[in-house]
Amino acid sequence: FFESMQKHSVRSLMGHSPTDKISFLGCGATAISFFDNSFYMNIPRLDEYFRQIDQNLVPFEDSRCYRYSEDDYIRNQLIQKYILSHFKIEKKQFSRKFNVNFDEYFNMEMEKLVRHEKDGLVDLSNPDVILITGKGKFFSRHIAHVFDTFYR
């Protein structure tokens, strides 16, 4: 079951899903919404949140809304679908899908992955594949941070 789920599902903020084509609307203070390639966070203060609801306004926190760039989209797919869901990156397949040269596009990140290889979290022995090891699966979010520009 786990292997089937791993091959045919994608991990997102909401857990595992059969597709990466998900839009969701968060309800409640500080809830997160995602649609139209954008993230939105609801207002955190309850009084302000309910004031906007009472005025028939969508209670998004303006400073917490963010629209994906093309780079954000590519990195999100790499992190959510390949690292956190499938625990493997086939570089040539990824390069074709996103029309980038993986090793050039992620040159800085590949240098950082060597540290994770020394810790036994990734296997870089095949130049065409990055494999998250059994041990690395427990630390997949740390591995994903290497590719996430918001953690720099």
Side-chain angles (χ1 to χ4, degrees), residues 69-87:
S69 68
E70 183 67 23
D71 180 60
D72 293 330
Y73 177 75
I74 290 170
R75 289 173 183 278
N76 180 321
Q77 291 294 299
L78 177 72
I79 291 168
Q80 299 294 338
K81 193 169 191 175
Y82 294 83
I83 296 173
L84 299 180
S85 298
H86 301 146
F87 305 110

Side-chain angles (χ1 to χ4, degrees), residues 16-135:
H16 284 275
S17 172
T19 179
D20 61 351
K21 308 287 189 259
I22 295 177
S23 294
F24 54 88
L25 180 64
C27 298
T30 73
I32 296 173
S33 300
F34 180 79
F35 51 88
D36 192 30
N37 287 326
S38 300
F39 273 105
Y40 305 88
M41 181 180 156
N42 288 353
I43 293 171
R45 289 191 44 207
L46 284 175
D47 58 339
E48 180 62 18
Y49 174 83
F50 286 116
R51 186 184 67 71
Q52 293 223 6
I53 294 288
D54 290 342
Q55 294 176 1
N56 293 321
L57 299 171
V58 180
F60 292 147
E61 178 76 40
D62 290 335
S63 65
R64 299 292 193 155
C65 298
Y66 182 79
R67 182 146 182 90
Y68 270 12
S69 68
E70 183 67 23
D71 180 60
D72 293 330
Y73 177 75
I74 290 170
R75 289 173 183 278
N76 180 321
Q77 291 294 299
L78 177 72
I79 291 168
Q80 299 294 338
K81 193 169 191 175
Y82 294 83
I83 296 173
L84 299 180
S85 298
H86 301 146
F87 305 110
K88 176 170 67 172
I89 304 165
E90 295 179 26
K91 294 181 192 179
K92 289 180 183 175
Q93 185 265 350
F94 187 91
S95 294
R96 278 191 307 274
K97 183 172 183 172
F98 295 99
N99 199 31
V100 297
N101 178 307
F102 188 93
D103 289 323
E104 289 176 11
Y105 196 87
F106 295 111
N107 183 46
M108 285 186 348
E109 292 82 355
M110 291 304 297
E111 292 174 13
K112 293 177 183 177
L113 277 184
V114 172
R115 187 179 116 233
H116 290 309
E117 183 179 40
K118 289 178 183 174
D119 292 336
L121 305 180
V122 296
D123 179 352
L124 303 175
S125 62
N126 181 339
D128 296 325
V129 176
I130 298 170
L131 184 64
I132 312 300
T133 65
K135 179 181 174 183

